[in-house]
Amino acid sequence: DHIFEKVSPEMEKLGYECKCLGGGKIEHNSKDKKIRVFGLSTGYGKADHSVTVEILKKEYTDYEIAWSDDKK
């Protein structure tokens, strides 16, 4: 919730309505060009990591990107 609480007010000033749909972690290994999405937020639960991966694939086209339900 640290990021959401910081970003949400600024987004709302721009006219966006913000709602947190869940959380997790992202592990970024730029050397090996790998990204792993996993975990959950204790306050918001688990985000749909498959959606996160699809968004990341648009920007990191030459990376191996995966997700899991692992907590660590």
Side-chain angles (χ1 to χ4, degrees), residues 23-27 36-41 49 52 71-72:
K25 297 175 178 63
I26 298 175
E27 182 178 84
R36 182 173 72 109
V37 181
F38 63 100
L40 54 91
S41 163
H49 296 329
T52 305
K71 293 184 181 177
K72 292 186 179 187

Side-chain angles (χ1 to χ4, degrees), residues 3-58:
I3 295 170
F4 181 72
E5 288 178 7
K6 184 176 181 178
V7 173
S8 180
E10 296 302 316
M11 296 297 290
E12 288 174 355
K13 286 179 188 174
L14 297 172
Y16 294 100
E17 181 180 331
C18 298
K19 181 177 178 183
C20 185
L21 302 176
K25 297 175 178 63
I26 298 175
E27 182 178 84
H28 181 192
N29 182 329
S30 58
K31 180 183 172 198
D32 295 333
K33 293 193 172 189
K34 292 183 179 183
I35 296 175
R36 182 173 72 109
V37 181
F38 63 100
L40 54 91
S41 163
T42 54
Y44 296 106
K46 185 178 88 65
D48 184 343
H49 296 329
S50 66
V51 173
T52 305
V53 166
E54 291 308 311
I55 292 168
L56 289 168
K57 283 181 177 180
K58 292 176 184 175

Side-chain angles (χ1 to χ4, degrees), residues 56-69:
L56 289 168
K57 283 181 177 180
K58 292 176 184 175
E59 184 67 28
Y60 296 90
T61 56
D62 57 341
Y63 273 64
E64 177 185 325
I65 305 174
W67 68 270
S68 75
D69 287 327

